[in-house]
Amino acid sequence: MTAGAMQAGQRNSNAPTLILVAGLAVTWLALPSEDAESLFRTAAIGVGIALLLSTAMEALQGVRALIRTDNLMLWVLYGLTLLEFLFPQPDVNGIVSVEAATRGATVVLLGFFGMSVGRHLISKQASSTAPIDLKPIYLFGLFIFAFVVGYLHIFLAVNFNPIDMIEQMSRPRFSQSWGRGKYGNLYSLLYELGLLIYLLPPIAGLMLAHAERFSLAQKAIVGIVLALTFYYAFASGTRNVLGTYVISMFGAYALTKPDLKLSQLLKVGVPIAGLLLFASTLMLEFRSAGGVTAVASEARHYDTLYIDHNLVNISNLTNVFPDAVPYLGLEIPYQAIIKPIPRALWAGKPEGLSTSIEAALGINDGVTTLACTFVGEAYMAGGFLGVLIAGLAFGAAAGWWNRTGRKVDSSFSQVLYASGFLAAAMAMRSMITMVPFMLPTLALWLMGKYWLPKS
């Protein structure tokens, strides 16, 4: 490549970020001061347009330029904080002041800015891991291993009764017999292996991209297991899990499908996004009605799109920190690091934050849980500076992980890369809970390094 071509490529890679940063700045300047709902809607429209233009610029460079960790994280953060405000949210004005809404929107914009800039802090050179081109028998074996070990705690809880398993999956969340419990025991160690379930969609996506290499029986088994896995996520009402399953499977498919055109990607991706949005509304009804079996007989609880009102929670947290409660500092990253350690191994593990999100916002019923995304948690840790640092760190981490996806000659690297979408998406929802979702990718990396044969 000539020096001129390299400079042109650099300019092209920076253009989407310049568009996004400019859009964030314009949005911040345009924020109204009439009421919280109109302010949030303005932020949703402004950031949405900036993200669309930035993504369209990325698309000009090809399909692989779109399917990147940083793009995923930016869109997930948008979905968690701003998307719902494109739709009417009439109750917002009564629960958050204009002043708090202004601070909350500014904090979120700062999070977007940090990630968009932070992704350029890491070299884009591909990682130096040895390529592994998985033979079909090894890939299918990896899928079966993840299925058996991942579902083992469920099979044991229902005495290997598939009918009972499906029936319990249809119940309200946290009522299944295979729950880990609050304090954990030796069974919780087996429960943690259930995280291997998250490897099933990306492995299946790669197999789907090369379907001609697998027998009819293998494809039937994968189809049945995948249907079970998607139903499990759907019936649980856990929208971020279902979304991650879809994204990781679709990402692995698109990354490894030979000669995939952008038009083909859009023909499949746009309907999938629409179905996912529709499914997320149904899943919220499941949670409110008490499971899949109860929703048919219940009246609708939500007449508009509702995604946890994370931006409302972030805004109200700015009323609390640091005036009423001092910033939590390193307590939040510390909790994130120790999160996956079972109490069976560490009986004295600290129980949560000294001041939880619920306690800070005056919710002390012991039942209600609130979310505020990594942006809100970073603000609790260190205010505006904490949000900027966290945004830059996540952007840099995304840029670093993108290097794995650049090993286009390695089918294993593509599966490994797509499996990391899980942790990336979950990190946007919460820094505190993101580390356990890194474990499936770590397990897959260890299998590739020490077990799977090198090509």
Side-chain angles (χ1 to χ4, degrees), residues 151-167:
Y151 276 95
L152 183 58
H153 69 289
I154 298 178
F155 294 146
L156 292 174
V158 299
N159 294 317
F160 294 89
N161 185 334
I163 304 301
D164 187 27
M165 177 176 66
I166 298 297
E167 191 276 328

Side-chain angles (χ1 to χ4, degrees), residues 329-353:
L330 296 177
E331 186 178 340
I332 286 182
Y334 174 71
Q335 284 289 329
I337 292 171
I338 69 173
K339 181 73 174 177
I341 304 174
R343 293 190 181 278
L345 299 180
W346 185 8
K349 187 174 78 168
E351 290 184 43
L353 300 172

Side-chain angles (χ1 to χ4, degrees), residues 211 217 361 365:
L361 298 181
D365 57 12

Side-chain angles (χ1 to χ4, degrees), residues 143-317:
F143 183 89
I144 295 300
F145 174 81
F147 166 63
V148 172
V149 178
Y151 276 95
L152 183 58
H153 69 289
I154 298 178
F155 294 146
L156 292 174
V158 299
N159 294 317
F160 294 89
N161 185 334
I163 304 301
D164 187 27
M165 177 176 66
I166 298 297
E167 191 276 328
Q168 289 199 44
M169 286 180 177
S170 304
R171 294 178 187 172
R173 285 198 304 175
F174 312 123
S175 64
Q176 287 76 21
S177 60
W178 52 80
R180 180 178 60 176
K182 180 178 180 181
Y183 294 103
N185 48 35
L186 291 177
Y187 176 78
S188 68
L189 297 176
L190 185 60
Y191 179 90
E192 297 295 347
L193 293 176
L195 289 169
L196 289 176
I197 293 174
Y198 291 101
L199 294 179
L200 295 174
I203 297 174
L206 190 149
M207 296 176 71
L208 181 62
H210 301 278
E212 70 282 354
R213 300 171 63 184
F214 299 91
S215 68
L216 181 61
Q218 288 173 327
K219 287 184 281 192
I221 293 172
V222 170
I224 293 171
V225 172
L226 207 57
L228 172 66
T229 301
F230 275 98
Y231 178 76
Y232 184 22
F234 181 69
S236 72
T238 312
R239 294 168 293 171
N240 54 317
V241 171
L242 179 65
T244 304
Y245 282 173
V246 173
I247 291 168
S248 62
M249 179 178 171
F250 184 64
Y253 172 82
L255 286 169
T256 57
K257 180 68 175 176
D259 302 322
L260 183 65
K261 302 293 190 298
L262 180 60
S263 59
Q264 296 172 311
L265 182 70
L266 293 175
K267 286 178 183 178
V268 178
V270 172
I272 287 178
L275 286 173
L276 192 57
L277 191 62
F278 174 70
S280 69
T281 303
L282 287 180
M283 293 166 74
L284 194 60
E285 293 292 333
F286 296 164
R287 280 171 27 183
S288 301
V292 174
T293 56
V295 72
S297 60
E298 294 281 342
R300 287 186 61 84
H301 292 75
Y302 300 93
D303 296 320
T304 187
L305 181 65
Y306 176 83
I307 310 178
D308 297 335
H309 276 176
N310 289 298
L311 183 50
V312 172
N313 294 335
I314 294 170
S315 300
N316 286 329
L317 284 171

Side-chain angles (χ1 to χ4, degrees), residues 2 29 39 45 51 69 128 138 153 157 168 170 195 217 221 237 282 290 302 305 329 347 359 372 417:
T2 66
L29 292 172
L39 190 150
I45 293 172
L51 270 176
T69 313
S128 58
Y138 287 111
H153 69 289
Q168 289 199 44
S170 304
L195 289 169
I221 293 172
L282 287 180
Y302 300 93
L305 181 65
C372 64
Y417 178 60

Side-chain angles (χ1 to χ4, degrees), residues 13 15 50 75 101 115 129 272 318 330 350 370 372 390 403 422:
S13 66
W75 277 107
M115 286 202 300
T129 54
I272 287 178
T318 66
L330 296 177
L370 299 177
C372 64
R403 296 172 60 184
L422 166 67

